[in-house]
Amino acid sequence: MNRFYRVVHAILRPLLYLFFPVSAVGVENIPAGGAVLCINHSSAWDPVLVALKIPRAVPLRFMAKAELFRNPMIGWLLRKLGAFPIHRGTNDLSAMKTAMKCLQEGQKLVVFPEGTRVDQEGEASAKGGAVMLATRTGVPMVPVYCGGKKKFFRRETIVFGTPYCPVITGRRPTPEENRQIAEELMERIYALKEIV
């Protein structure tokens, strides 16, 4: 990761731990090389807390909704921290090309398959973007459970599951395969809460 990210990571990690005493299980499951880290999304704090539980030397990139980049200062900060915008609800080819390039270069890509924040399992169906990225680039997906609503001073556990590569019949998944794999992915993510 770039120096800016490493400095911010080093500063924020102990500070945020005072407010969010988060522990992590299974960090060793993060594979070498490119991987799609697929996380349930219940709070705006999720990407920050997950990133701070991953060693700062691990090259992380983030797909973030384009609306966050409208403010020039916030957009600049997000880009410096490794995020790039995606326009939700559209076929954002530019974002997908950026994501595939990151994975092919051996970086870890943080995505939220539900596409938006949800209060509980099953509230939103999984989108197929993570599956498409993994099958197109041949990298594994890592299910990550990041708990529920984040509250100050409440202990939470982030669980990194076993990486796996989805099995498809052809070079690219059919729409039905994509849907089934995305559903299985969310099942794997939410099954990790049993470890907490």
Side-chain angles (χ1 to χ4, degrees):
M1 289 302 295
N2 64 57
R3 184 178 179 185
F4 182 83
Y5 176 90
R6 292 196 299 269
V7 169
V8 171
H9 190 287
I11 293 170
L12 283 185
R13 187 169 185 169
L15 287 176
L16 270 183
Y17 188 76
L18 294 173
F19 298 99
F20 296 105
V22 174
S23 59
V25 174
V27 175
E28 68 278 4
N29 286 331
I30 300 173
V36 185
L37 305 185
C38 306
I39 307 166
N40 69 299
H41 199 8
S42 60
S43 166
W45 287 103
D46 293 337
V48 177
L49 297 176
V50 168
L52 293 178
K53 284 299 165 186
I54 296 173
R56 60 179 172 266
V58 174
L60 278 185
R61 297 297 301 275
F62 307 83
M63 293 181 85
K65 60 183 181 180
E67 294 87 343
L68 294 175
F69 293 80
R70 288 179 181 162
N71 181 297
M73 285 300 295
I74 293 175
W76 174 86
L77 178 62
L78 289 172
R79 286 187 172 88
K80 289 289 284 183
L81 293 173
F84 58 91
I86 181 166
H87 293 86
R88 298 180 300 173
T90 68
N91 290 324
D92 191 339
L93 295 179
S94 176
M96 298 309 280
K97 286 179 181 177
T98 300
M100 287 192 282
K101 185 174 185 288
C102 294
L103 293 169
Q104 290 163 347
E105 291 175 350
Q107 300 177 43
K108 312 297 183 281
L109 180 66
V110 174
V111 300
F112 297 95
E114 291 158 310
T116 188
R117 291 197 296 272
V118 300
D119 289 327
Q120 56 189 348
E121 179 180 359
E123 194 172 287
S125 58
K127 309 299 183 284
V131 175
M132 189 274 285
L133 288 168
T135 54
R136 291 266 184 102
T137 60
V139 304
M141 298 192 298
V142 181
V144 182
Y145 179 70
C146 193
K149 290 287 186 186
K150 311 302 180 292
K151 295 181 179 178
F152 289 146
F153 311 114
R154 176 178 168 181
R155 294 195 172 275
E156 292 278 0
T157 302
I158 297 172
V159 184
F160 295 83
T162 304
Y164 73 102
C165 292
V167 177
I168 56 176
T169 55
R171 280 185 59 235
R172 296 182 179 179
T174 65
E176 180 60 19
E177 284 178 324
N178 199 303
R179 184 187 63 77
Q180 289 177 346
I181 294 169
E183 289 177 357
E184 178 194 352
L185 170 63
M186 295 313 303
E187 289 172 3
R188 287 180 182 240
I189 291 171
Y190 281 105
L192 295 172
K193 67 183 175 182
E194 301 300 324
I195 298 173
V196 175

